[in-house]
Amino acid sequence: MAPSSRSPSPRTKRLRRVQDEKEVGRSREREDDKHNARGKDKRSSREVERERDRDREEGRDRDRERKREKSRDITDREVGDKRRRSGREETDERKRAGTDDERHSRGRHERSTSPVDRSHKSRRSPERVSASRHDEGSNARGGGEEPNVEEDSIARMRAAEEALAAKKKEEPSFELSGKLAEETNRYRGIPLLFNEPPEARKPSERWRLYVFKDGEPMNEPLYLHRQSCYLFGRERRIADVPTDHPSCSKQHAVIQYREIEKEKPDGTMGRHVRPYLMDLGSTNKTYINESAIEPQRYYELFEKDTIKFGNSSREYVLLHENSAE
């Protein structure tokens, strides 16, 4: 006979129910823990992003503050430099004013005496007056004369003026002079032997130089109206019109246009731009119409004048566009 199946007792049923409920609760707790863990992960990622954003914003704020501080430092430095400069200028002006005041006060003190001194002079004691009279009488008897007070003051004033004039003469001059001025007047690295005068101007008329050799014309004429001066010489780097003859100097002569005041045919005065020739201290001289000219002097040129340089056989005839052939 097979054993018959027994039904579980109510106690076992209760135990099973309790166990089933516990397992269901555990499973729910597990699921809740999973959901909580997922929520925490999401929250943590969001918080991390927020913290990153906050750090970025804080970094930007720090950079802005640094830039502002730098700009403030720069402005403070500029203001300080301006104040220092202004202070230095004020001190220099005060020093200059003080020196001027001292000079004026010295000149006044030397030129005129104070009223106190005058009062002291006028309030001399009778003994001194009598003594001075006695001395005057003795000097008159002896043939000598006592110097007057006014003459002494005049002599002092003259001495003070001479001292001031000597001081002014001794003041340093920072202007260029002599060889230093010549060295600064350079063209292409070569010092020029002349300086253009303040009345230098470009001509309004179109002057020309016609070149002749042994009485025969050579090439085209030289146009001399585009510049205020033209340099003649053997130094081709600086010469406007090169003269290659060995008797010519490197810087032989110069034609300079100058604006001068001249009398017109109707008797009135007017300004004209005229050509002038100057020899620059050449060895073999410069000639106008076969007569040598002195160096370092301007000679006015006229229409149909003939110019020669040194011992060269070339002749330069000056004409302009309105010249009659």
Side-chain angles (χ1 to χ4, degrees):
M1 292 293 291
S4 60
S5 59
R6 293 179 181 179
S7 61
S9 63
R11 188 178 179 181
T12 54
K13 288 180 179 179
R14 289 175 184 173
L15 293 171
R16 288 177 181 175
R17 287 176 185 174
V18 171
Q19 289 177 358
D20 293 333
E21 288 175 358
K22 286 182 179 179
E23 288 177 359
V24 171
R26 290 174 182 174
S27 62
R28 287 178 180 177
E29 287 177 358
R30 289 173 184 172
E31 289 177 358
D32 293 333
D33 293 332
K34 289 178 181 180
H35 286 295
N36 291 329
R38 289 176 184 174
K40 286 180 180 179
D41 294 333
K42 290 180 180 178
R43 289 176 183 174
S44 62
S45 62
R46 290 176 183 175
E47 288 176 358
V48 169
E49 290 178 357
R50 288 176 183 175
E51 288 177 358
R52 288 178 181 174
D53 294 334
R54 288 176 185 173
D55 294 334
R56 289 174 183 173
E57 289 178 357
E58 288 178 358
R60 291 173 183 173
D61 294 334
R62 290 173 184 172
D63 293 333
R64 290 173 185 173
E65 288 178 358
R66 289 175 182 173
K67 290 179 181 179
R68 289 175 184 174
E69 289 177 357
K70 287 181 180 179
S71 62
R72 288 174 185 172
D73 293 335
I74 292 167
T75 52
D76 291 336
R77 289 175 184 174
E78 291 177 353
V79 170
D81 293 335
K82 288 180 180 179
R83 288 178 180 174
R84 290 173 185 171
R85 289 174 185 172
S86 62
R88 290 175 182 174
E89 291 176 355
E90 288 178 0
T91 52
D92 293 335
E93 290 178 357
R94 288 175 183 174
K95 288 180 180 178
R96 291 173 185 172
T99 53
D100 293 335
D101 292 335
E102 288 178 1
R103 289 178 182 176
H104 288 299
S105 63
R106 288 177 184 174
R108 291 174 183 174
H109 182 71
E110 290 172 354
R111 289 178 184 176
S112 62
T113 57
S114 64
V116 178
D117 296 333
R118 291 177 183 175
S119 63
H120 282 299
K121 288 179 181 179
S122 62
R123 294 177 184 175
R124 290 187 294 177
S125 62
E127 295 177 356
R128 291 181 181 176
V129 172
S130 61
S132 63
R133 287 179 182 175
H134 180 70
D135 293 334
E136 287 176 0
S138 63
N139 289 329
R141 290 172 187 174
E145 293 182 356
E146 186 180 0
N148 196 0
V149 177
E150 293 181 356
E151 292 179 357
D152 292 340
S153 62
I154 292 169
R156 290 176 184 175
M157 288 169 61
R158 289 178 180 175
E161 290 177 356
E162 290 177 358
L164 290 172
K167 285 182 180 179
K168 288 181 180 179
K169 288 180 181 179
E170 290 175 359
E171 288 180 356
S173 177
F174 298 100
E175 297 180 356
L176 299 177
S177 62
K179 290 188 176 181
L180 185 59
E182 292 180 0
E183 289 294 329
T184 56
N185 186 23
R186 287 175 169 269
Y187 181 68
R188 294 183 179 177
I190 300 173
L192 300 177
L193 298 180
F194 76 100
N195 291 318
E196 285 198 77
E199 67 271 13
R201 300 288 187 277
K202 286 184 180 180
S204 57
E205 293 179 336
R206 296 187 176 182
W207 293 90
R208 301 170 184 174
L209 274 179
Y210 290 84
V211 187
F212 294 88
K213 186 175 183 180
D214 297 329
E216 296 181 0
M218 296 180 61
N219 302 327
E220 294 182 358
L222 303 173
Y223 297 94
L224 303 180
H225 62 274
R226 298 185 179 93
Q227 299 175 184
S228 59
C229 68
Y230 287 85
L231 178 64
F232 295 79
R234 286 190 296 107
E235 187 61 62
R236 284 182 167 268
R237 287 184 294 175
I238 58 174
D240 299 302
V241 181
T243 55
D244 296 329
H245 198 271
S247 65
C248 296
S249 301
K250 292 182 178 180
Q251 298 182 44
H252 197 99
V254 62
I255 290 179
Q256 177 71 59
Y257 291 98
R258 302 167 63 198
E259 185 181 26
I260 59 171
E261 193 172 3
K262 252 189 170 185
E263 187 177 358
K264 295 181 180 179
D266 57 357
T268 60
M269 300 299 291
R271 292 187 172 276
H272 300 277
V273 178
R274 298 289 303 171
Y276 287 81
L277 180 65
M278 182 171 66
D279 184 84
L280 299 177
S282 63
T283 305
N284 297 308
K285 298 184 178 181
T286 304
Y287 299 87
I288 299 177
N289 298 329
E290 297 183 357
S291 60
I293 62 174
E294 296 181 7
Q296 308 300 330
R297 284 187 60 185
Y298 283 116
Y299 287 82
E300 186 176 1
L301 294 174
F302 297 94
E303 185 182 1
K304 297 181 181 181
D305 278 348
T306 303
I307 305 169
K308 288 185 68 176
F309 303 103
N311 299 325
S312 176
S313 61
R314 293 187 181 184
E315 296 179 345
Y316 299 83
V317 180
L318 183 67
L319 297 172
H320 57 74
E321 58 184 352
N322 298 323
S323 299
E325 295 181 358

